[in-house]
Amino acid sequence: MAILEVKELHVHYGVIHALKGISFSVQQGEIVTLIGANGAGKTTTLRTISGLNQKTSGSIVFRGQDISRLAPHKIVAQGVGQVPEGRRVFPQLTVEDNLGLGAYLRKNKKEIQRDLNRVFELFPRLKERRRQTAGSLSGGEQQMLAMGRGLMSRPAVLLLDEPSMGLAPMLVREIFSIIQEINEGGTTILLVEQNAHLSLEISSRAYVLETGTVALDGSSKELLQDPRIRQAYLGA
Amino acid sequence: MVWYTILIQQIINGLALGSVYALIALGYTMVYGIIKLINFAHGEIYMLGAYFGFFALTIFNLPLIPAMLISMLLAAIIGMGIERIAYRPLRNAPRIAALITAIGASLLIQSVAQLTFGASFRPFPQVIPFQRIQVGPIFLTNRQLIMFGVAILLMVLLHLIVHYTKIGKAMRAVSMDKEAALLMGIDVDKVISFTFAVGSALAAAGGILVGMYYNRIDPYMGIMPGLKAFVAAVLGGIGVIPGAVLGGFLMGTAENLVVAFGSSTYRDAVAFAVLILVLLLRPSGLLGKRQNEKV
């Protein structure tokens, strides 16, 4: 059974019909990616799953329960975390405090400390800078912090919105390999990316969004070879 | 007295009064920081705090500290209630709607207080016998010291809460980025409630301190200090906590100096002169971040 299943989801911004009935599912342990051009509805999809946008109709089922009417903080408590587009770290708080807020809903100090150590293993640079304010970090470091912070809630499913945005190519590769590492640690991942090539390489399945609908879906391997995808998203 | 003793004397008087302006200004600035609303009913919470203290001291014969704590608790509950009833339904409405509602809440509380407590002033019980302390040519009163001391103590407490507790860090997170805070699992409504509670408790403590200082309270006592504390918050940089403290002390001092070297007629005018100057010269306040206009 799918851990996360989105069915016939419609979302409006005022009169604009942003999502026109999209459906997709994510299986336990997978990396699934949503690719598509600007304005296709990728970010809207993730925001609606997290409860930051309200659906017009449709359902979002997580572990058998419809979460589409829950408040955002309750959705986090259910086990769906999100690393938002543009990182959104708390600039005047230290790296440590940012990570601590990621574990806001958790009580067990020992386990929190263990996960903090795990985040520092994944991102050694954050450990060096733990007492610095998040605003003083470079863009890549902020992305690492945002991902580390997202992990601190111990999500069963982690939604990643454009983790490679604005990063140097070297860093993009590093971020993608860390995403794989996080996934191997048991976290299911729903990834939204402009960088179609890399995201298809690390994911098992993909959905292609075009103006609020699912235009195409399939295994990532197949999509990498699909001439339509190569033409539109891979620049080949 | 030579002019510089007057100067020092007035600065000391100003710091004592300013410490209360700072306490009230903190409430304005914290609420603004978190929901971008000027809570104009804040001065009325200060007034209610003074009355709660008054009743606790006179009817229930409580000692000063328990009376102050009870008053702070009641004010916190009322502050949360105002937010829940008047402001939360307008959270996503245009800001002007919430602002007008805040002015309405302020007038409503004033009128209800006048109906319930009577319009005339009441003498505040003298729980602490008046003492004058002389240091060289300078005079202090024990009430000034208590006012200053209690205010500083509460500010230190606030600082510890905001920087070192979980809820305090959540407050700062919400004020920096509400959506990101939601994605951390922070219940933003609860954090906003807590912010109103803390701000209101500080204002209530200020109300009691001023009641003791001036020996009298009335239902309209919140208007002027409320406005002055608002100016203090703007002067320091609205939304910036240390700014409210700095602004409060500066406003108290400025007011006393104007009275000493100018005329007491200008006691209240100075606040608005400061407001106009800040808005013209440095709208983001002394400690506020300058915001570049986006083109």
Side-chain angles (χ1 to χ4, degrees), chain A residues 47 50 52 72-73 76 82 84 88 90-93 97-98 101-107 149, chain B residues 163 166-167 169-170 172-174 176-188 191 289:
Chain A
R47 287 177 57 88
S50 281
L52 297 177
H73 66 275
V76 178
Q82 181 177 163
R88 308 283 284 268
F90 302 112
Q92 283 124 278
L93 297 183
D97 280 348
N98 267 277
L101 282 167
Y104 188 76
L105 293 169
R106 298 171 57 191
K107 303 259 184 292
R149 190 180 64 174
Chain B
H163 285 266
K166 200 168 171 178
I167 184 88
K169 286 176 189 173
R172 295 172 70 207
V174 173
M176 285 174 223
D177 190 333
K178 205 165 124 188
E179 276 189 359
L182 283 167
L183 292 177
M184 301 300 106
I186 294 170
D187 184 344
V188 168
V191 173
K289 284 163 298 204

Side-chain angles (χ1 to χ4, degrees), chain A residues 212-224:
Chain A
T213 54
V214 175
L216 205 61
D217 71 281
S219 87
S220 301
K221 258 187 206 142
E222 284 165 18
L223 289 176
L224 266 172

